Amino acid sequence: MKYKALLALACLISSHANAHKAGDWIIKAGPISVQPSVDSDPIDVAGLQTFENGVDVDNDVQLGLTGTYMLTDRWGIELLAASPFSHDIELEDAPVTAGDTKHLPPTLSLQYYPDFGSDTFIPFVGLGLNHTVFFEEDASADLNLALDDILSQPAGTTDATLDLDNSTGIAAQIGLDYMISENILINGTIWWIDIDTQANIYTADATVNFDVDIDPFVYFLSVGYRF
Ligand code: NI
């Protein structure tokens, strides 16, 4: 009788979700939005013209993936990856798209899962390191025409190259896992990531450099699997 009662209790407990445990893996996938809050230096084009307000960088949504490994019941380590983001770069002082770039922002975070006594609502905070790799940067035709104008060259002369330096910086996050069963969860996570780059525009006659802080908030909504 005692044995049967224990078995019934064990079944009851195991049919409920548990909080994350040391050794658990949690894989999540879903839409992820990078929303830059840009702070750009002025752009000085060879002393001929200055764009005081620099550039802005627009938002993009891609597929985000995270993998978490629980080192203990309270501490986890998480890697964020995503399909490549693509952003237009706008000149703030003129109605001109200066160019576009792609980037990958892998981010490794140490996470802390405080014990609030719930096995279904599992909040966490994290702190980590981001490395952003910019690639396939393109200067636009509009930028080339604007540079021809500023450099007093015939239209079609300038064929500028745009290059953005890679960035390594701190990433802070806050998130919530909601267990809908023992293995399946729904998650929302927000990161703030310190991404600072130097933009370099090269033409045959001039090199233009300026600093851009992109410092985005990153929003992730996902479905996860724990095993
Ligand atoms: Ni910054």
Side-chain angles (χ1 to χ4, degrees):
M1 210 42 209
K2 198 178 176 187
Y3 169 76
K4 275 190 176 173
L6 274 177
L7 195 67
L9 186 65
C11 286
L12 192 68
I13 289 169
S14 67
S15 71
H16 285 67
N18 292 309
H20 304 333
K21 290 270 182 295
D24 283 353
W25 287 91
I26 305 147
I27 304 294
K28 301 167 192 170
I32 187 165
S33 174
V34 168
Q35 305 193 1
S37 39
V38 176
D39 182 14
S40 173
D41 275 1
I43 307 167
D44 174 7
V45 184
L48 299 171
Q49 184 168 342
T50 303
F51 297 95
E52 282 299 333
N53 294 304
V55 293
D56 196 15
V57 179
D58 72 355
N59 301 340
D60 193 32
V61 179
Q62 290 293 330
L63 173 68
L65 292 170
T66 65
T68 297
Y69 178 72
M70 296 302 293
L71 301 165
T72 73
D73 291 357
R74 302 267 79 86
W75 293 92
I77 191 154
E78 179 202 69
L79 180 66
L80 163 67
S83 52
F85 291 92
S86 181
H87 298 271
D88 279 344
I89 302 165
E90 318 278 347
L91 268 185
E92 281 281 79
D93 295 331
V96 167
T97 298
D100 57 75
T101 184
K102 292 185 176 172
H103 74 90
L104 282 171
T107 304
L108 191 66
S109 299
L110 184 65
Q111 301 176 311
Y112 178 67
Y113 295 76
D115 185 5
F116 289 121
S118 172
D119 286 337
T120 23
F121 287 95
I122 306 172
F124 57 88
V125 291
L127 195 64
L129 213 55
N130 163 267
H131 184 66
T132 295
V133 180
F134 295 96
F135 61 100
E136 290 183 19
E137 303 100 316
D138 282 321
S140 71
D142 282 349
L143 179 69
N144 284 329
L145 285 174
L147 289 170
D148 283 338
D149 195 37
I150 294 165
L151 299 169
S152 303
Q153 293 170 337
T157 306
T158 299
D159 183 16
T161 304
L162 174 66
D163 176 64
L164 300 176
D165 292 353
N166 294 341
S167 163
T168 300
I170 280 179
Q173 68 169 190
I174 185 166
L176 176 69
D177 292 337
Y178 172 64
M179 303 304 303
I180 57 177
S181 77
E182 179 58 30
N183 299 107
I184 309 290
L185 62 96
I186 292 171
N187 159 270
T189 306
I190 300 172
W191 288 260
W192 177 82
I193 305 182
D194 188 22
I195 302 176
D196 302 334
T197 185
Q198 178 176 290
N200 312 289
I201 300 169
Y202 303 106
T203 74
D205 306 304
T207 299
V208 178
N209 303 309
F210 57 100
D211 291 331
V212 185
D213 292 357
I214 299 171
D215 299 350
F217 281 93
V218 177
Y219 301 91
F220 182 46
L221 201 59
S222 69
V223 174
Y225 184 73
R226 182 178 69 184
F227 55 97

